[in-house]
Amino acid sequence: MKISISYPPLVSKKGVACLGQNRQFQWFNIPTYIYPVIPAYAATLLEKNGYEVMWDDAIAEELSYADWKKRILDEKPDLIAIETKTPTVKMHWKIIDELKAELPQAKIVIMGDHVTARPEETLENSKADFVLTGGDFDFMLLNLANHLSKSDPLEGGFHFRDANGAIADSGSSDISKHDLDTLPLIDRDLTKWKLYAYKNGNFKYTPGAYMMSARDCWWGRCTFCAWTIFFPGKKFRTMSAEKALAEVENLISLGVKEIMEDSGSLPVGKWLEEFCQGMIEKGFNKKVTISCNMRITGIKRLETWKLMKKAGFRFILFGLESANQETLDRIDKHLRVEEIEPGLRLCKAGGLEPHITTMIGYPWETKEMAEKTISLAKSLFKKGYVDTLQGTIVIPYPGTPLYRYCDEKDLLLTRDYENFDQREMVMKSPLSSGDAKGLVQDLYKAFASPQFIMRKLISIRSLDDVKFIAKAGHKWIGKIMDYSQKDGKDCQ
Ligand code: SF4
């Protein structure tokens, strides 16, 4: 049985689609290719179980739609798995129907947070055969392949049509029975890791790579966060630190210089200590640099940040989201405004490079409230507590508590999924879409203080530093363009 894990080209004037590893979908003006870790585990697991696997990421390969279609029609997979997000699901329905017209024998399964929230919708609007709900694409694609080829029973979490054409399901998905330690080490060659090793602004050192030791975030409750749909915090799982270190070792053997550990929030406590000690004892800290996501209150001791620094950690991404307590409470961030600055200062004092993500356009936030967030970002940059930032427009994805809130309060300006791509407001708010884009641009401009630029220039120690600063400048211009007032419309 031949199985393809496919990312068909998605043609849009808004830029390049970033689907994999993306808790909030974005189009990028400057191509950015993020390695889809869970689909990569799926490809490896399927191959280890005797299936022929085709890694088919035509977006990262920069294939035209025609070339991709010709290739997949020539390859004739028996099962095609496609990952989607809210803004792209309509494009995927069209592509699935085209594929089914030409490859009627192939089974098509679609997966992702959007279809997990609304599985029936895809079966009603496309000829997809299966919808996989939940985020464990790896364990579940193996189960589906075994079901199709060996008549194994389907585990919970699949939706499909029964013999009469009615929509049926296999019960609810249960991720807690999937033990991450039973997964094989990712086969990086099978999954063409080099496609994702360079075009990623977060990498200071290349080639870079992604790994994910946990699913997904030990908090897992923020009301806007799309991956909490399939990885709620109460079902948080990790692989052992030992297994995570084996992934690092494999990446080092391939020549990887920087790793993004992309769990929603890196595991803390004993796990983190074991991981850091292992990095140091095995000498991996001398060979590779690591970045990760972390909650601002996740680490309270300077010694822990110092241990992480010693273990090779560099870039730490924090979700700050807003400088308004009302917002932090409403989105269930479990963070006090007064904890933000000390938390970032501590991280910086440990020798790490903090990055913050912030959002504009909450339905209850006035312009003054949004400006408070920008002003906090500016002050954090000025004081040297953060190195980089990401600003976006907040989007309520179907299935999240924020979407339900907007639905109940009649706060949605549109229900057209194409608009849920962070380029415009889809929630009613005191801000217009133009205001929100302008404010996101202001956020990006926030770090251009003379003090910050001077500090960056003084910190240059190597050619890598120069290249990284140049790359960051390029990315900064891209972000300003992403939120320009003149976005194109999709043109598939
Ligand atoms: S802390 Fe981050 S990853 Fe975790 S639920 Fe909140 S937004 Fe999602």
Side-chain angles (χ1 to χ4, degrees):
M1 184 177 197
K2 187 191 276 188
I3 303 167
S4 82
I5 296 185
S6 292
Y7 291 87
L10 298 173
V11 184
S12 170
K13 283 184 184 156
K14 290 183 182 177
V16 174
C18 191
L19 287 160
Q21 288 306 112
N22 212 335
R23 291 156 187 89
Q24 327 291 323
F25 174 87
Q26 287 186 70
W27 299 100
F28 282 95
N29 266 311
I30 295 175
T32 297
Y33 303 122
I34 299 184
Y35 185 75
V37 181
I38 303 177
Y41 273 115
T44 310
L45 191 62
L46 287 162
E47 199 184 56
K48 292 263 182 278
N49 280 273
Y51 295 100
E52 187 183 344
V53 176
M54 175 186 166
W55 187 256
D56 177 34
D57 187 345
I59 296 177
E61 285 179 80
E62 302 182 348
L63 281 189
S64 70
Y65 188 76
D67 286 348
W68 167 76
K69 200 165 157 197
K70 181 177 179 314
R71 181 172 77 180
I72 198 155
L73 294 184
D74 288 347
E75 291 282 346
K76 294 186 182 54
D78 304 290
L79 174 63
I80 302 170
I82 295 177
E83 182 180 0
T84 195
K85 301 284 288 182
T86 302
T88 59
V89 72
K90 284 168 36 185
M91 293 169 125
H92 282 130
W93 292 341
K94 204 170 139 206
I95 293 168
I96 288 169
D97 288 356
E98 279 184 30
L99 286 175
K100 285 296 280 187
E102 309 224 31
L103 292 173
Q105 305 309 320
K107 300 289 183 201
I108 301 187
V109 54
I110 188 162
M111 54 202 191
D113 49 71
H114 180 91
V115 296
T116 295
R118 299 186 162 176
E120 291 89 0
E121 176 197 66
T122 283
L123 294 172
E124 284 159 2
N125 286 285
S126 77
K127 296 191 167 61
D129 299 281
F130 294 93
V131 174
L132 184 164
T133 67
D136 281 352
F137 309 150
D138 34 19
F139 293 96
M140 291 183 68
L141 282 180
L142 177 61
N143 173 247
L144 179 60
N146 288 342
H147 171 71
L148 294 172
S149 64
K150 302 176 192 165
S151 302
D152 276 10
L154 269 187
E155 65 174 81
F158 288 98
H159 289 246
F160 48 87
R161 291 179 204 80
D162 67 16
N164 302 316
I167 294 175
D169 65 71
S170 60
S172 45
S173 90
D174 179 10
I175 54 174
S176 55
K177 67 179 184 203
H178 299 149
D179 178 354
L180 303 186
D181 276 334
T182 64
L183 288 169
L185 282 187
I186 298 179
D187 185 332
R188 301 278 169 170
D189 290 327
L190 171 70
T191 52
K192 303 182 184 170
W193 71 277
K194 285 188 183 160
L195 287 176
Y196 313 88
Y198 300 95
K199 290 187 179 173
N200 183 325
N202 285 346
F203 293 143
K204 180 169 182 178
Y205 307 104
T206 53
Y210 272 56
M211 63 180 278
M212 208 175 147
S213 312
R215 297 188 188 175
D216 170 49
C217 164
W218 43 268
W219 175 242
R221 281 172 55 174
C222 300
T223 65
F224 61 88
C225 181
W227 274 24
T228 59
I229 297 169
F230 44 52
F231 295 133
K234 58 179 184 292
K235 294 200 170 168
F236 179 67
R237 292 159 298 159
T238 66
M239 58 181 63
S240 64
E242 195 186 336
K243 185 171 174 64
L245 288 163
E247 286 287 0
V248 173
E249 185 169 28
N250 185 37
L251 290 171
I252 290 172
S253 76
L254 294 170
V256 165
K257 297 281 181 275
E258 177 153 348
I259 297 171
M260 175 67 207
E261 205 301 332
D262 201 28
S263 306
S265 279
L266 187 74
V268 288
K270 190 165 168 282
W271 188 98
L272 182 56
E273 210 148 294
E274 276 175 29
F275 181 77
C276 288
Q277 294 298 357
M279 287 290 296
I280 297 163
E281 281 158 22
K282 292 172 190 289
F284 296 167
N285 57 341
K286 304 264 185 306
K287 296 178 177 152
V288 79
T289 293
I290 301 198
S291 305
C292 70
N293 303 300
M294 179 56 73
R295 284 177 52 76
I296 288 178
T297 51
I299 290 175
K300 297 201 166 59
R301 294 168 58 238
L302 182 59
E303 292 66 39
T304 309
W305 284 124
K306 285 186 171 167
L307 177 66
M308 287 174 72
K309 170 76 181 168
K310 194 172 169 196
F313 280 86
R314 176 183 75 80
F315 182 64
I316 314 291
L317 291 88
F318 296 101
L320 184 156
E321 324 306 4
S322 169
N324 298 286
Q325 193 59 51
E326 180 191 346
T327 301
L328 296 175
D329 293 344
R330 279 177 178 248
I331 62 172
D332 206 0
K333 192 77 202 171
H334 200 58
L335 176 68
R336 307 283 315 158
V337 173
E338 58 271 21
E339 291 172 319
I340 294 173
E341 187 173 312
L344 295 168
R345 191 172 56 219
L346 198 68
C347 174
K348 192 76 192 173
L352 288 306
E353 296 173 25
H355 167 100
I356 49 172
T357 59
T358 51
M359 295 195 289
I360 298 292
Y362 299 96
W364 51 84
E365 278 204 354
T366 60
K367 195 164 183 199
E368 291 67 40
M369 290 169 86
E371 280 167 351
K372 200 172 155 196
T373 303
I374 294 169
S375 143
L376 176 64
K378 261 188 191 154
S379 135
L380 292 167
F381 271 116
K382 247 186 174 169
K383 292 178 181 171
Y385 298 156
V386 293
D387 287 69
T388 43
L389 71 71
Q390 185 189 354
T392 50
I393 291 175
V394 60
I395 297 292
Y397 291 101
T400 60
L402 184 60
Y403 187 94
R404 282 196 290 283
Y405 170 81
C406 292
D407 207 10
E408 282 162 21
K409 305 264 183 223
D410 191 25
L411 288 173
L412 290 169
L413 291 168
T414 172
R415 288 173 192 268
D416 187 340
Y417 296 150
E418 283 172 17
N419 299 325
F420 284 58
D421 63 1
Q422 302 194 9
R423 291 289 181 89
E424 59 188 281
M425 298 280 291
V426 298
M427 292 183 286
K428 289 178 196 164
S429 127
L431 305 179
S432 68
S433 230
D435 287 341
K437 286 183 187 187
L439 286 160
V440 173
Q441 287 189 324
D442 286 350
L443 258 172
Y444 279 103
K445 290 172 193 159
F447 86 83
S449 78
Q451 294 95 325
F452 176 76
I453 293 168
M454 188 52 72
R455 252 197 317 273
K456 279 283 136 197
L457 293 175
I458 290 170
S459 71
I460 291 175
R461 297 277 177 278
S462 65
L463 189 59
D464 280 324
D465 291 339
V466 176
K467 282 195 210 152
F468 187 59
I469 289 173
K471 199 153 92 173
H474 188 224
K475 189 176 157 191
W476 183 77
I477 292 165
K479 283 292 163 194
I480 297 274
M481 281 160 58
D482 285 346
Y483 289 96
S484 80
Q485 311 287 332
K486 297 180 290 206
D487 278 333
K489 288 269 170 254
D490 292 348
C491 63
Q492 163 110 22

